[in-house]
Structure formats: C-alpha cells, structure tokens
Amino acid sequence: MKERAISKRFFDDSWKRSSYCGYIPSPGENGGDVVLNGWLRRRRDLGGIIFIDLWDHTGTVQVVLGPDMGPAYEQAKSLRNEFVLAIRGKVRKRPEGTENPSLLTGDREVLAEDLLVLSPSRPLPFEMSEADRVDENLRLRSRYLDLRRPFMQNNLRLRSRAAEFTRSYLSSEGFVEVETPMLTKSTPEGARDYLVPARVTPGRFFALPQSPQIFKQILMVGGMDRYYQIVKCFRDEDLRADRQPEFTQIDIEMSFINEEDITSLMEGYMKGLFQSILGEALDVPFPRLSWHEAIDRYGSDKPDLRIRSEILDLDAVFSGSSFDAFKKILDQGGVVRGLRLPGGASLSRKEISDLEARAKELGAAGLAPFAFKEGGLKGPLVKFLSEEEQVRLIAVSGMQEGDILLAASGPWRETCEVLGHLRLETGRRSSQVEEDAWAFLWVTDFPLLEWDDDEQRWSAVHHPFTSPNLEDLELLSSDPGKVRSRAYDLVLNGTEVGGGSIRIHDPAVQQRMFEVMNFTPERARERFGFLIDALSSGTPPHGGIALGFDRLVMLLCGAHSIRDVIAFPKTQKAQCLMSGAPSDVDPVQLSDLHIALDLSEEGKRCGSGGEE
RNA sequence: GGGGUUGUAGCUCAGUCGGUUAGAGCGCCGGCCUGUCACGCCGGAGGUCGCGAGUUCGAGUCUCGUCAGCCCCGCCA
C-alpha cells in the first residue's frame, strides 16, 4: 500500500450517512442532499469522469465523480476496490438511457460533491465478484472479506432473525433463559471432551460442555419449570459438512410433561419459524416413524422423505430360491433387502460396479443387480430364481421396464443402512429429491441401550438419564437390547435437526439403569454424584430437546455446510485458518499449569448438530 | 485411524507422450479515455508448479512420502 498522508479531516457527524446505499431515496421522493458511507465495490474510470459502485449490506448505488467536484476529484482518481468512503452529494435521476435495471437503485445515482477516504484497502487476496468460486481455504483465511459477500450477509442476518424468533416464541410459551457454565465437569460416555486446565487447580481439568444436559435437568429439580438457552456446545470429534467442534444448540427442558408436550411445542415452533423467516406454511403435526420402521423402510434413523423410494423386503422372494449365499443368511436370521432405481437399467457396467464398491465400503458383502429390460430380468443371480420367483420379485419391488433392483443381504440393520446410503446417494444424483419440500418427521422408540463390544457392557444410545419406555421395564433385566427408550429425534430433509427424551425422574429407575450399564455405585457417584443427589431430592417428571441451530439455519438458507452459517468456522481439522488457533503457547503458560508436553508420537503440530 | 479428491502468478484456470524461455482471463503498477455499470484501449511487473525425497540425460508432468482444503467411512451417548 502506498504511503498516504494522514487526512486532517475526520469522521465527524457531518460525514455520517443520511441513507444506506440500498435505500437511497428516489429523486422524486426525497432526493437532494445525501451522505453515504460504504465500501467501494467497483470503479470505472473513464478519464474525465469516474463511476463507483458504493456498497453496504443494504445494497449498491452508483456514485458519479466528475471534475466539477473540485479538489476531491484528484483524490477520486486514487480510489481502489474496497476502500471505505464517505461521500457527500446529490441524488438525481440517471440521464435517459443510462439506467441499470440489474441494480435495485439503478434508476438513480449520486453526484458526488465531496469525498472522504475513511480507510484504504490493500489489494485483496480475492475479488468480491468471484468470491463464490474461490477456494474455501482462502475464504476462511480472509473471513472478513468473505463476510462482505451478499451470500454470507444473508445467512448471518437470517440466523439472527431465527434466533430472535426463537427467543420470542419460547419466552411467550413461558420459558426462562438460564445460562449454564462453560467451565464444567468432564462426563464419561459420549464424545471426547475439550479440556481446560487452570493455574489454581493444578492437575485437574475443566471440560467444555458437550451439551448442558446435566445442568438443565438440575434446573428442573430446582423448580425452573421451563428452561431454554441458545448455547455453544463442544465436541472433540472428527468433522463433517454439518459438524463443527463448537456448535450452537437451542436447548430446552420442561417439567411435568410427556412426549406430546415436546412434540406439539416443537411443531408450533417450526411452523412459526418457517412462517416468519420464509413465509412458508408447514403442515403439522409432523409424521412419526418408530426407529425400527425408519431403519427398515429407509435404512436410516434420519430418513430423507423427499425421496419417495423405500427399501424393499425381499426375504420371501429369496427364502425358497436356490441361491445359497442368500438362503444361508436368511437361515441365520439375516435379511435380503432391495432398492429399486427407476430407469436404472440403463446404468453402465462401470456405474453398477461403482455402486457395488460403495456398498462394500459401507460394509455390505456385495450387491446383486437385477435389471428389468427387454421384458425380463437380467443379472448374474437371475438363473437362481424360478420363473415364479422372478414374477414375484417384479411384483414385490414394483419394477417397471427400464428399472434396476439392487439386492443386498446380511444382518438386518447393516443391510438396511447400506441400502439407505445408496438410496440417498442415487436419489440425489438422479434428482429424485423434491427440492422445495420441507420433509419433517419425528423418529421415536429408539433402543435404550446398545452393546459396547470394546467395553463389554451395555451403554446408553442417547444418554444414561433417558427414561425407558415403562412398558419395557421388565426387559431391562431379561433383554436390555430390546428396551425402547422415550427418546425422539426431529428430522428435516434427511438432517437430524433435534433430539431429546423424557428423563428418568425416579431414583430407583436411575439406579437400575446404572446397574444394567455396569456402573458401580462408586463410579456413578464419582461421575454424576451431584446429579444423583439432585434427582433424589424431589425431581419433577421432565424432558426436553435440543435443536441443532446451525443445521436448522443451514437448511433455512439453502446452504450446504454449516460453515456457511457460522461467522468464524473451523476446518475439518478443527483449525481456525484466520486466527491460527489452536497454536503453541508460551512455555511459561504451561509451567503455570504444571503441564509438560509429550509429543514424541504425534510430532510437533498437530466433529455437530442437535443431538443432546 | 481409513478411502476419495484438489493443490501451477494475488484470484480462477490451461499446460499434449517426461523435452528448449510455464501460459490465459481477472486483479496489481504505469499511460490514454466525460455516461460507464464485468467500461474500453496500450504497455509493464508478477512463478519455491504445496513441501521433501526418488526415477531419469532431463520432472509442473512419473513414483514414494508429507502438509493443507473439501467429501465420505469409522467416530460424534
């Protein structure tokens, strides 16, 4: 940047804007004198006259700088992109034939009379006009520029409006916003914690909350009745397009309620939110599926209902067939499931083998294609099916001429999930997705416990305070894997946007849970002692939900990553490319904390949504 | 931890079968231009081909490793 003299003029009241760039009064209305503040988005220097596009978050307006503006014209020649300017001038109608219909303010312009450069700009690492094509690496490093783009402006402003709606809705429903600690206690189960050491407590660590779960339950014990918070949560896990190491939840908990209270509250919330933000009228109540049905029909506990196709049960077709591999699996209690791809018979050999490779990557033993063409089934396994079985396969799958059916076999859940992934991926590729639909649904009746092979014990699918379905209480001893929980997830367009449960409020049931999970009383006490004490001190029946605010806003914005709705997101390696965090610290800071580093293995340098 | 993909000028990209001095558009710098709006015209500067090894007479190009971005599997109660 060139050396510039420090201007004797400064940003006094006379230079404060009288109008935003996008809201310039039309000359007919309230034309006349204006002061503008904004960024120089583009300049066109024609030699004797200079046009600049002055931008702020409301829009862009053309300013004309001519020799008749006096000494300031000389200065105007040195203006460059993204300089911050204050401009004094007069609004006028553009001369006939020079209107620009692609600009909202394109029928008018500001004839500059005076100009103050508030701040120059270095030549920038990328141009605003092509920022949507720029490498994300660079966007993140220069986030302040990225944020100046209309796309990011829109996303963050929409996010703000969504938060505002959330507060006002919950407040009107009698919820109290309570803040919970960020420096808190590490909890077992679940994601890896971010740990925080402190000088005054050497050798001990805080953990940043994975969610305020325990605190919100204690607030219920504390008689708060209805709590909410829009709150950051932290999980040290690997990232995805919809996961960040720190992410925001709308955290909710209510007393003296059951599942219906939560679902109707959320349906009212979503209806209001979509109406207020997008002007969309949602149909409520949302459909519900049990977890078992979701896996069985869609191969996912967060099915995207915008895709019509479902996974097909082919057990009956293959149980009598002479294909031994499938029969053997069926005899062992496994399943045969299929996925019909409309028009898929025209897939090339390579496309089919790619699908097979993907199925294997997802854990399937293989994938058997049955193409329906030239009036009959084609495929390597057709010869194992009798005429009658072929007819039945076509009938069961609803195949039409030109379709293909992909069959897989193995354990129920794994097989469904493999086909569930293929359903999504092929559905998206062949645009079977109803793009402008908002497909909400509730997934209920999750299993309460699952067997943890590593630790050789039952562990909570949701978390250890989730209430079992009281009808299944007996199974807790006899067949823990069969116990249904009172947990529920809210799914939108194949994204889990929220999840929660009715909690255990009976200390005896909680005790029973810990026993099944093989937590000794000592271990339970060490980890959750304060919660156990609280729950033994008069606990109202209670339950709640947490919504993944970033994911919800992402869907509202039509963005494809939550990074696009977070002002300062981190990369997949959980780095902040702008600030360079995390970074080395001064050895003195470490010694204050009594921390010694052992990086012999790792070398010197060096995963989030609505679930609670 | 694993699979895929990308990395060449400030940005977006091209670069043939491994072969002489690595190119284009935009941006930047200088000059010209009074109705442009992706202004136009003339000229110029600008390169650790992500990094490190290896193969070769010769590597942007081939091989191995490594770093970083993105997508995915595992993981995320």
Side-chain angles (χ1 to χ4, degrees):
Chain A
M1 205 184 305
K2 274 191 217 162
E3 194 84 15
R4 285 167 66 255
I6 296 175
S7 168
K8 287 194 206 70
R9 299 198 296 174
F10 61 97
F11 186 61
D12 60 21
D13 284 351
S14 76
W15 284 107
K16 285 187 183 167
R17 65 185 155 213
S18 63
S19 165
Y20 286 103
C21 297
Y23 301 158
I24 276 290
S26 81
E29 294 161 10
N30 194 15
D33 297 321
V34 284
V35 182
L36 297 174
N37 297 158
W39 284 260
L40 191 162
R41 187 50 45 96
R42 206 158 201 116
R43 83 194 169 97
R44 295 172 291 280
D45 185 345
L46 272 60
I49 186 171
I50 300 169
F51 298 97
I52 63 177
D53 294 334
L54 198 69
W55 175 92
D56 66 26
H57 68 276
T58 63
T60 303
V61 66
Q62 172 164 281
V63 179
V64 187
L65 305 137
D68 43 343
M69 70 188 286
Y73 179 67
E74 285 310 306
Q75 198 184 5
K77 290 179 180 169
S78 65
L79 299 178
R80 294 295 181 270
N81 286 345
E82 299 303 316
F83 275 32
V84 179
L85 308 176
I87 284 167
R88 198 192 314 284
K90 283 199 160 46
V91 186
R92 67 177 190 191
K93 227 173 127 65
R94 288 200 190 186
E96 183 121 13
T98 65
E99 299 87 354
N100 182 357
S102 63
L103 210 60
L104 279 171
T105 60
D107 64 336
R108 65 204 76 158
E109 62 191 7
V110 172
L111 185 62
E113 291 164 346
D114 197 5
L115 163 76
L116 180 61
V117 176
L118 300 173
S119 169
S121 167
R122 64 181 167 126
L124 297 175
F126 60 88
E127 292 166 65
M128 290 298 134
S129 54
E130 48 181 33
D132 53 342
R133 293 185 290 129
V134 168
D135 193 49
E136 191 164 1
N137 194 321
L138 188 61
R139 283 178 54 202
L140 292 176
R141 240 185 300 139
S142 306
R143 192 60 161 179
Y144 35 85
L145 298 179
D146 201 26
L147 294 177
R148 266 181 222 163
R149 300 161 54 212
F151 174 69
M152 288 302 302
Q153 286 280 322
N154 173 66
N155 293 356
L156 293 182
R157 287 168 196 281
L158 188 151
R159 183 183 176 117
S160 168
R161 285 194 289 134
E164 187 186 351
F165 175 86
T166 303
R167 290 203 165 88
S168 98
Y169 179 86
L170 291 173
S171 163
S172 73
E173 293 288 329
F175 285 80
V176 181
E177 184 171 13
V178 182
E179 289 163 275
T180 52
M182 288 291 113
L183 295 175
T184 181
K185 190 175 157 74
S186 178
T187 54
E189 313 263 309
R192 277 177 278 270
D193 288 319
Y194 278 98
L195 296 178
V196 183
R199 179 185 51 85
V200 294
T201 52
R204 288 184 286 161
F205 294 84
F206 292 107
L208 301 178
Q210 296 172 27
S211 80
Q213 184 61 39
I214 288 173
F215 288 101
K216 71 174 173 176
Q217 288 193 248
I218 289 178
L219 286 170
M220 294 303 101
V221 179
M224 293 308 299
D225 197 58
R226 293 185 164 204
Y227 141 92
Y228 86 97
Q229 189 180 189
I230 299 180
V231 64
K232 278 283 182 75
C233 302
F234 306 85
R235 293 174 193 177
D236 187 4
E237 295 292 346
D238 288 341
L239 308 182
R240 290 283 192 285
D242 62 354
R243 287 194 225 153
Q244 280 276 300
E246 52 177 315
F247 61 99
T248 303
Q249 287 189 340
I250 301 169
D251 197 39
I252 290 172
E253 195 78 5
M254 312 163 77
S255 295
F256 304 108
I257 50 101
N258 60 24
E259 289 87 338
E260 295 308 312
D261 298 282
I262 301 281
T263 51
S264 64
L265 176 82
M266 285 295 98
E267 285 162 357
Y269 168 73
M270 288 297 173
K271 200 172 165 63
L273 179 72
F274 276 69
Q275 185 64 55
S276 133
I277 303 291
L278 299 178
E280 296 265 352
L282 297 181
D283 285 333
V284 293
F286 302 144
R288 297 183 193 190
L289 276 182
S290 71
W291 174 84
H292 190 276
E293 206 177 347
I295 302 285
D296 204 48
R297 288 168 58 188
Y298 303 102
S300 169
D301 59 4
K302 45 179 165 67
D304 190 340
L305 298 188
R306 293 175 304 167
I307 303 169
R308 298 267 176 215
S309 69
E310 296 189 17
I311 290 167
L312 306 159
D313 184 340
L314 306 179
D315 289 359
V317 178
F318 285 93
S319 58
S321 81
S322 54
F323 185 56
D324 287 339
F326 279 9
K327 252 179 79 178
K328 201 169 152 197
I329 288 167
L330 285 169
D331 290 344
Q332 290 167 354
V335 300
V336 183
R337 291 289 186 271
L339 180 70
R340 182 174 68 94
L341 305 184
S346 60
L347 289 178
S348 69
R349 189 180 292 258
K350 177 172 189 313
E351 286 168 315
I352 290 171
S353 80
D354 282 351
L355 285 169
E356 244 181 298
R358 178 66 176 150
K360 283 181 178 164
E361 186 191 348
L362 291 165
L367 204 59
F370 294 89
F372 187 6
K373 54 186 177 189
E374 295 145 28
L377 289 179
K378 314 278 185 235
L381 264 48
V382 174
K383 59 178 177 284
F384 295 105
L385 295 175
S386 68
E387 196 74 22
E388 186 202 342
E389 285 164 338
Q390 293 187 28
V391 170
R392 185 136 39 111
L393 183 59
I394 292 169
V396 165
S397 62
M399 282 174 91
Q400 309 278 323
E401 174 84 28
D403 292 352
I404 197 168
L405 179 77
L406 305 171
S409 182
W412 169 73
R413 184 170 171 185
E414 285 74 6
T415 303
C416 291
E417 287 180 340
V418 167
L419 291 175
H421 270 106
L422 296 181
R423 171 180 174 273
L424 272 186
E425 290 165 17
T426 57
R428 281 175 188 158
R429 266 205 302 276
S430 60
S431 48
Q432 294 169 43
V433 184
E434 281 179 76
E435 283 297 345
D436 46 5
W438 298 107
F440 278 95
L441 84 151
W442 290 102
V443 179
T444 63
D445 297 316
F446 283 80
L448 183 70
L449 296 158
E450 67 191 345
W451 182 252
D452 185 330
D453 244 354
D454 294 342
E455 297 200 24
Q456 286 293 302
R457 64 178 185 90
W458 292 99
S459 76
V461 169
H462 192 60
H463 58 59
F465 315 109
T466 299
S467 174
N469 186 318
L470 300 177
E471 291 167 19
D472 297 346
L473 222 43
E474 295 305 311
L475 293 168
L476 214 44
S477 314
S478 56
D479 194 353
K482 283 251 160 58
V483 179
R484 291 167 297 166
S485 73
R486 296 179 73 184
Y488 32 78
D489 275 1
L490 182 58
V491 175
L492 170 54
N493 292 356
T495 297
E496 181 192 338
V497 292
S501 65
I502 303 300
R503 326 298 181 190
I504 299 169
H505 61 274
D506 180 343
V509 176
Q510 188 67 64
Q511 196 54 48
R512 193 76 199 82
M513 251 318 254
F514 284 144
E515 282 165 24
V516 175
M517 293 171 62
N518 208 14
F519 274 31
T520 61
E522 294 74 35
R523 186 167 172 210
R525 177 144 290 279
E526 176 203 343
R527 298 296 195 176
F528 302 114
F530 63 114
L531 179 62
I532 294 169
D533 288 344
L535 293 176
S536 324
S537 312
T539 300
H542 64 291
I545 192 165
L547 301 174
F549 188 56
D550 311 280
R551 288 181 183 173
L552 192 54
V553 174
M554 170 183 88
L555 293 166
L556 285 165
C557 290
H560 294 106
S561 161
I562 62 171
R563 292 187 301 276
D564 285 340
V565 300
I566 294 172
F568 302 104
K570 293 183 173 58
T571 67
Q572 204 161 50
K573 287 255 170 71
Q575 322 274 308
C576 172
L577 295 181
M578 190 178 68
S579 69
S583 61
D584 295 335
V585 295
D586 193 298
V588 173
Q589 288 174 284
L590 288 179
S591 74
D592 274 354
L593 296 165
H594 302 277
I595 288 176
L597 301 181
D598 175 12
L599 299 173
S600 44
E601 295 274 321
E602 297 287 322
K604 267 204 96 170
R605 275 179 309 277
C606 49
S608 295
E611 65 278 16
E612 291 172 316

